[in-house]
Amino acid sequence: MSVGGPTGDDLVEMLAALANPIRLRIVAALAGRRDYVSQLARELGVSRPLLHMHLRRLEAAGLITGRLELSDDGKAMKYYEVTDFDLHLTASAVAEAAQTLTRPDPGKGPAPKEST
Amino acid sequence: MSVGGPTGDDLVEMLAALANPIRLRIVAALAGRRDYVSQLARELGVSRPLLHMHLRRLEAAGLITGRLELSDDGKAMKYYEVTDFDLHLTASAVAEAAQTLTRPDPGKGPAPKEST
DNA sequence: TTCACGTGTCATTTTTTACTTACACGTGAA
DNA sequence: TTCACGTGTAAGTAAAAAATGACACGTGAA
């Protein structure tokens, strides 16, 4: 067992979170040093509202975490850092995760016909 | 160097391809045995046009490959099978891949202002 | 010929994501 | 008070992904 296993749904969420250039760069930026929102927005060249959205998606997937801190001059800064995620993706790993998928409920019934 | 590395763009494409319940189940289904389109559609309970779209996305990402074969009774069947992909995702691996991202050209200029 | 089963695509709608703009709130310093 | 800098969110639009339905084509068997 490499991963110890996120459920299929969790895996989809993690993959979807990483499957975006901006979010990939966010994770990359936070890989070394933690950072606060406004500063990160400046570094990546994106607007804060947009960054905020991406940060939420990454945090929801469990790839980063953020906490609010008070700086010396009294400002509330939200610092984000990456978690120790470690995903090993192979065909068999995917096969295992897929067993716990609940999302796409195909109705279990007969597949949609078309011609007859 | 762990991965040997898909470029950032390729990585995004692979992740996007896997970040979907149906496609995850397609890979899972093909993990053991190869299969042809119509049969796979029945097994997964999805329409062929939809499956076709997902197969294309997976194949474009290099996760599966398909080839057309002629069955004994003369029918053209397209068989798909998984490739030997092996993605190891960690914060540092992402950081490395992010360096070769070309997609989200932020214009390189000053970050979008808002208040001032 | 017609049916069953295989292949494929085009057109359209529905649903999500991505993104921008504008706003509101709080605090220390000028 | 006003400015600079931090936080967050709501509203609306643009773009991309997902999904459906209707086609067209080919072949062996009834």
Side-chain angles (χ1 to χ4, degrees):
Chain A
M1 313 292 171
S2 43
V3 178
T7 72
D9 295 345
D10 286 344
L11 180 58
V12 168
E13 189 173 13
M14 291 186 200
L15 292 173
L18 288 175
N20 175 285
I22 292 186
R23 290 196 289 269
L24 217 57
R25 300 200 310 165
I26 291 173
V27 172
L30 295 177
R33 43 184 170 62
R34 49 178 237 155
D35 209 349
Y36 64 96
V37 184
S38 290
Q39 177 61 21
L40 192 54
R42 278 188 292 265
E43 290 176 10
L44 298 181
V46 300
S47 68
R48 277 191 300 106
L50 180 56
L51 177 61
H52 191 262
M53 164 198 284
H54 288 306
L55 288 173
R56 283 188 47 162
R57 209 136 153 61
L58 286 169
E59 187 168 32
L63 299 171
I64 65 174
T65 54
R67 64 166 159 284
L68 205 57
E69 298 181 13
L70 289 178
S71 67
D72 294 350
D73 53 334
K75 286 172 186 160
M77 335 266 288
K78 188 151 195 184
Y79 279 90
Y80 278 94
E81 59 191 299
V82 293
T83 63
D84 287 16
F85 66 90
D86 188 338
L87 287 180
H88 199 192
L89 294 177
T90 61
S92 56
V94 167
E96 187 184 331
Q99 294 181 317
T100 60
L101 273 176
T102 63
R103 290 271 230 300
D105 198 311
K108 252 49 195 305
K113 318 177 67 174
E114 84 182 19
S115 48
T116 302
Chain B
M1 318 293 167
S2 43
V3 178
T7 71
D9 295 346
D10 286 344
L11 179 60
V12 168
E13 188 173 15
M14 291 185 199
L15 292 173
L18 289 175
N20 175 286
I22 292 187
R23 288 196 290 268
L24 216 57
R25 299 201 310 166
I26 291 173
V27 171
L30 295 177
R33 41 180 172 67
R34 49 179 236 156
D35 208 348
Y36 64 96
V37 184
S38 289
Q39 177 61 20
L40 193 54
R42 279 188 291 265
E43 290 177 10
L44 298 181
V46 299
S47 68
R48 278 191 302 104
L50 180 57
L51 178 61
H52 192 261
M53 165 197 285
H54 287 307
L55 288 173
R56 282 188 47 163
R57 209 137 153 60
L58 285 169
E59 187 168 31
L63 299 171
I64 65 174
T65 54
R67 64 167 159 283
L68 205 59
E69 297 180 14
L70 289 178
S71 68
D72 293 352
D73 53 334
K75 286 173 188 160
M77 335 267 286
K78 189 153 195 181
Y79 278 90
Y80 278 93
E81 58 190 301
V82 294
T83 62
D84 286 17
F85 68 88
D86 188 338
L87 286 180
H88 198 193
L89 294 177
T90 60
S92 56
V94 167
E96 186 183 331
Q99 294 182 319
T100 60
L101 274 177
T102 62
R103 291 274 230 300
D105 199 310
K108 250 48 193 308
K113 316 176 67 175
E114 87 182 16
S115 47
T116 302

